[in-house]
Amino acid sequence: MIVKIILLAFIFLETSNVLALYFAPGSKRANAVGVFSAWEKSKQMPDVHAFIRYLVYWVAGAKLIFLLLLVVIVLFGDEALQRISLLALAIGTVSFYWRLFPLIRSMDRDGQIEPPNYSARLGWMIVGLIILFLGGAFL
């Protein structure tokens, strides 16, 4: 049951991000892109802003696909599949530290992120998710 609770909590958390990306991408809530100063700056260049919006919606769509797959796993998968899914989520989430974290940390240090130190908070939140996924997979 704990595995399902962890998966459902993650689905809820990520659904808030998908909704923000689709309907309020400039928001500073739910990990939308309003925290990046480049979001507002891009609006001064319509072709660049269109490209950024395309990428934001692409990310939202990709997240929606994997969220729906997780819903199917929660509803129809046995406990073993659900545990393996948590392990896969942990491994996939670790990739954040390979490319995304160095970029956001650098932008944060350069004052391109609002609020300041957002990258550190996001980094700790991601660590917490990884620990939660691993704990659920192995408990």
Side-chain angles (χ1 to χ4, degrees), residues 82-130:
Q82 292 170 2
R83 286 183 184 279
I84 292 168
S85 297
L86 285 175
L87 185 58
L89 283 170
I91 293 167
T93 304
V94 166
S95 72
F96 167 80
Y97 295 99
W98 176 45
R99 296 293 180 140
L100 294 174
F101 186 68
L103 285 172
I104 196 168
R105 185 178 55 202
S106 176
M107 287 184 280
D108 203 350
R109 288 180 183 157
D110 292 342
Q112 299 171 15
I113 306 286
E114 178 65 40
N117 297 317
Y118 178 80
S119 62
R121 284 179 282 199
L122 183 61
W124 284 110
M125 184 182 82
I126 300 294
V127 164
L129 284 173
I130 293 167

Side-chain angles (χ1 to χ4, degrees), residues 23-86:
F23 300 109
S27 173
K28 292 183 179 184
R29 295 178 183 235
N31 288 324
V33 296
V35 298
F36 297 94
S37 61
W39 173 257
E40 287 301 318
K41 288 178 187 174
S42 74
K43 291 178 179 179
Q44 298 168 4
M45 298 173 280
D47 56 334
V48 172
H49 191 63
F51 176 64
I52 290 173
R53 283 184 18 245
Y54 176 85
L55 292 177
V56 167
Y57 298 147
W58 185 84
V59 168
K63 285 184 169 215
L64 184 58
I65 291 167
F66 93 81
L67 286 174
L68 292 172
L69 288 172
L70 282 178
V71 168
V72 169
I73 289 169
V74 167
L75 292 176
F76 302 107
D78 61 8
E79 188 174 341
L81 179 62
Q82 292 170 2
R83 286 183 184 279
I84 292 168
S85 297
L86 285 175

